[in-house]
Amino acid sequence: MMIESGFFNRMKKLQVIRMLGSGMDIGELNEYAYEICFLLIQNIFLRELRENHHRTRDDMLFITEKILQDMDLLYSKEEVERIVDGTLWYREPTKQEGFKTRVYHETTRTKEEYIFRYFKVDREHSHWEQGGSTVYMLTEESQEMIFITREILEEFGFNLEQFYTLQLIKTGNFMKARNSIDNLMARVRVLINREKEYRRDIIRDPQNIFFDRSIRGKKSEDEIKGQFEEEQKVFANMFSWRNRYDVLPEDKKQEAEMMFENLEGARLLHDSLAKHVMENLALELEIRVKYPESFWNISSFSFKKDIWQNHIVKNGLRDIEDLEKVVSPLFSPKTEFIYPLEWAWSEQMIKQKRSIKKEEDMTLEDGWKFRETDWELLIELYEEIFTALLENGRFSILELNKKSEEEKGKWLRQRENVDLFMMFVISKVTLDMNHSGEDERLRLFKGLCSKNPIFKELHGKKILSKIEDAEETFVWKELFISPYTIYIEE
């Protein structure tokens, strides 16, 4: 078949774009109508994402005037009103009709009428009963037009993708929210890689601190910290919706849980990005203060002057073949390949996870040792946490801020101590003292029950997590964790 299934729906989206700014009588501005209307829609969309309620017709008139001024175009008040009304409604503004067009349908083989709008009424924020003006928001057709290519996100930036995700979570559109979270994670990974490359660059040549400003522009350290704090608040706002979806049907509830698990991964990645950025800022400061000479020291050594002119031309060579030995490395250098240290550690970690070991340490023939998790230490540390769950039904990670330096040392002795807490945070679990699988959380619970039978009262209980709305955070040296609380489901 020459016409594919879905042709009608695809053409509808193109019609939305094709009709934007058409049919307006705005004189010399007609050739700019398409761009002006798109910029108007984009500005309203940005305000919607930022929960800015200034989206009335009067606000649109103001935005349009500002757009025309930025484009250095001459305009009249009447032309501005025609642009706004021509984007809000089709033809006669007094009728307030939707845009109409006819699109060929591959099934009926006829043209069918298609009616759409670029804006719809935001009933939640209009407050007509209080005499408020009508507030507008984008329709799905307009949103699709904005996101017709993902490149537009480069212009919006990370924080607006966050706001877009938040809007999807609020409306219960979990599938789209998961896609948006994937985009968030992809953007964060790109930013983390940039920071890693930037660190390598400034270590190799500190002058890159001045030359490479594309990483974070000219923002001060306080501005960067403020930005990260704002982004963390948006993450907290997203997670605050988690408990509201407990009343959903089981299939939708499961879909929401999967989405929130992805969101937790994005938040942890964001924490990692913040860590890399702050470490690089600290490195910049250290280089500026301790090694200022590195910015102006230029190597005075050169092949032409020091080797060719001062040695070979002046003293000559004992054998003509020596010339080849001197010159050939410059044109065909051979560097022995050395495996990166990261690869070596990665290989050890993989083997550690896949190997089943009965002894505390397993020594290989070449001398390498696998490190076994210290479960006795884990059970000792988590006894306090499970006692709190048993007595109070909840435990906040902020409680660990009260620990002494000696107790903190125990918690930081192996990474599994904190990782296991984050496993409770990321996904819910039902406690089972008879568990024989690979879930480390249940292995921990089983060990606690063996040590102290009182914990058997928690058998069959479900542990969930939530993020607290608190200014305090969990900060130990370079370890930063949001204020999570794990609790027993009633």
Side-chain angles (χ1 to χ4, degrees):
M1 186 177 179
M2 296 300 295
I3 303 178
E4 298 178 358
S5 176
F7 176 80
F8 176 71
N9 289 327
R10 294 175 68 184
M11 290 305 296
K12 285 195 302 184
K13 295 176 182 179
L14 292 178
Q15 285 292 81
V16 172
I17 299 173
R18 186 187 69 82
M19 294 184 67
L20 182 64
S22 62
M24 295 181 181
D25 183 14
I26 49 177
E28 295 182 358
L29 294 177
N30 275 330
E31 63 175 310
Y32 299 100
Y34 183 81
E35 291 88 347
I36 297 168
C37 292
F38 183 84
L39 288 169
L40 172 60
I41 291 173
Q42 180 175 298
N43 275 272
I44 294 298
F45 183 58
L46 296 179
R47 292 190 177 197
E48 183 184 338
L49 291 180
R50 290 168 172 159
E51 297 190 339
N52 183 340
H53 304 157
H54 296 291
R55 292 177 266 121
T56 65
R57 179 178 178 275
D58 288 341
D59 295 321
M60 292 183 186
L61 293 173
F62 173 79
I63 292 170
T64 304
E65 284 194 35
K66 187 67 171 65
I67 291 170
L68 291 166
Q69 291 170 8
D70 290 345
M71 295 175 73
D72 293 327
L73 297 174
L74 298 175
Y75 61 90
S76 65
K77 183 179 179 181
E78 291 75 15
E79 289 169 339
V80 172
E81 290 186 345
R82 285 178 198 156
I83 292 171
V84 172
D85 291 340
T87 313
L88 280 170
W89 304 295
Y90 184 53
R91 292 181 178 170
E92 289 296 327
T94 54
K95 295 182 179 180
Q96 298 190 1
E97 294 179 335
F99 291 79
K100 298 178 182 178
T101 184
R102 294 177 64 80
V103 181
Y104 180 81
H105 201 297
E106 72 278 5
T107 304
T108 61
R109 298 187 179 182
T110 59
K111 283 209 168 191
E112 295 185 4
E113 188 174 60
Y114 170 49
I115 302 175
F116 68 92
R117 294 179 185 271
Y118 294 103
F119 296 107
K120 63 181 178 181
V121 174
D122 187 345
R123 298 183 181 276
E124 183 180 351
H125 298 112
S126 291
H127 303 303
W128 292 317
E129 69 281 0
Q130 300 173 12
S133 300
T134 301
V135 177
Y136 293 97
M137 61 191 297
L138 267 65
T139 60
E140 287 189 14
E141 290 84 357
S142 290
Q143 286 189 11
E144 285 183 352
M145 181 173 62
I146 291 289
F147 288 98
I148 200 72
T149 58
R150 295 309 293 176
E151 286 81 3
I152 198 73
L153 293 178
E154 291 297 328
E155 178 185 342
F156 284 166
F158 177 83
N159 60 333
L160 290 179
E161 180 75 4
Q162 267 192 314
F163 281 116
Y164 179 60
T165 306
L166 176 59
Q167 294 296 102
L168 293 173
I169 292 174
K170 285 182 177 180
T171 56
N173 199 334
F174 303 128
M175 290 302 293
K176 279 192 175 180
R178 285 182 68 184
N179 291 335
S180 187
I181 291 168
D182 288 341
N183 289 321
L184 273 177
M185 296 177 75
R187 288 183 61 77
V188 174
R189 288 190 181 99
V190 169
L191 295 174
I192 289 174
N193 287 334
R194 285 182 187 173
E195 290 294 333
K196 288 180 177 179
E197 290 176 7
Y198 178 60
R199 186 178 185 86
R200 287 193 289 267
D201 288 343
I202 60 178
I203 289 175
R204 186 177 66 251
D205 183 1
Q207 295 187 29
N208 282 310
I209 292 175
F210 298 111
F211 298 145
D212 192 353
R213 308 308 298 168
S214 61
I215 298 298
R216 62 184 73 90
K218 297 181 179 179
K219 291 183 179 179
S220 66
E221 182 175 346
D222 288 339
E223 288 175 325
I224 293 170
K225 286 182 179 178
Q227 178 182 332
F228 280 127
E229 288 172 2
E230 286 298 318
E231 290 167 358
Q232 282 289 9
K233 288 179 182 176
V234 179
F235 273 119
N237 198 354
M238 292 179 190
F239 280 107
S240 69
W241 285 78
R242 191 171 200 163
N243 295 334
R244 305 186 191 188
Y245 294 124
D246 289 342
V247 296
L248 290 174
E250 194 59 35
D251 57 335
K252 290 290 289 184
K253 188 176 179 181
Q254 189 175 9
E255 196 176 296
E257 280 300 320
M258 291 174 65
M259 183 269 297
F260 279 112
E261 286 180 19
N262 284 13
L263 186 62
E264 176 58 25
R267 191 201 63 77
L268 292 174
L269 265 180
H270 184 266
D271 286 350
S272 177
L273 171 62
K275 177 175 176 289
H276 284 292
V277 171
M278 301 316 295
E279 284 177 350
N280 284 351
L281 287 173
L283 179 61
E284 285 183 12
L285 182 61
E286 182 181 1
I287 293 173
R288 290 171 188 267
V289 173
K290 294 184 178 179
Y291 311 104
E293 70 280 359
S294 61
F295 296 118
W296 59 76
N297 278 359
I298 300 174
S299 175
S300 58
F301 184 85
S302 70
F303 176 84
K304 179 181 177 181
K305 177 182 177 183
D306 295 273
I307 297 179
W308 184 257
Q309 293 179 349
N310 293 348
H311 184 78
I312 297 177
V313 174
K314 184 177 180 180
N315 302 317
L317 295 169
R318 289 179 298 179
D319 194 312
I320 191 64
E321 292 183 0
D322 291 341
L323 181 61
E324 182 183 356
K325 294 177 182 178
V326 173
V327 177
S328 62
L330 299 176
F331 297 97
S332 58
K334 291 184 179 180
T335 304
E336 183 181 356
F337 178 75
I338 302 175
Y339 283 98
L341 186 59
E342 292 178 356
W343 292 15
W345 283 119
S346 175
E347 181 68 16
Q348 298 310 312
M349 286 188 284
I350 291 171
K351 287 182 178 178
Q352 177 185 339
K353 290 180 179 178
R354 292 182 179 176
S355 300
I356 300 174
K357 304 171 289 299
K358 294 183 179 179
E359 300 177 3
E360 183 175 353
D361 286 323
M362 181 180 289
T363 305
L364 302 180
E365 293 180 0
D366 58 4
W368 283 95
K369 285 188 176 182
F370 288 113
R371 183 180 60 80
E372 175 64 39
T373 301
D374 186 347
W375 281 96
E376 289 186 7
L377 176 60
L378 270 171
I379 291 170
E380 176 189 343
L381 296 175
Y382 276 82
E383 191 169 3
E384 173 191 353
I385 293 176
F386 274 77
T387 300
L389 290 173
L390 186 64
E391 296 176 353
N392 307 318
R394 64 195 300 275
F395 180 84
S396 171
I397 197 170
L398 298 179
E399 294 294 322
L400 299 181
N401 282 335
K402 303 173 185 177
K403 297 294 181 185
S404 65
E405 290 301 318
E406 181 181 352
E407 291 172 318
K408 287 181 181 180
K410 284 186 177 181
W411 274 94
L412 297 173
R413 192 172 298 169
Q414 59 180 359
R415 61 178 295 176
E416 288 84 355
N417 297 343
V418 178
D419 285 352
L420 202 55
F421 187 88
M422 295 312 299
M423 288 175 66
F424 282 107
V425 168
I426 290 173
S427 62
K428 61 185 178 183
V429 64
T430 302
L431 298 176
D432 181 4
M433 62 183 181
N434 301 316
H435 179 76
S436 58
E438 297 182 358
D439 192 319
E440 294 181 332
R441 297 170 296 181
L442 297 180
R443 180 178 175 182
L444 169 68
F445 178 63
K446 190 174 182 180
L448 285 165
C449 291
S450 298
K451 181 178 180 180
N452 191 344
I454 193 174
F455 292 123
K456 293 181 180 180
E457 292 183 27
L458 294 173
H459 174 73
K461 300 289 186 180
K462 187 181 293 185
I463 294 183
L464 304 175
S465 68
K466 62 182 177 180
I467 189 168
E468 300 289 352
D469 184 13
E471 293 184 3
E472 184 183 358
T473 56
F474 176 82
V475 182
W476 283 4
K477 296 182 179 179
E478 296 181 355
L479 185 62
F480 303 90
I481 298 178
S482 297
Y484 277 105
T485 294
I486 58 175
Y487 63 95
I488 299 295
E489 184 181 50
E490 295 295 335

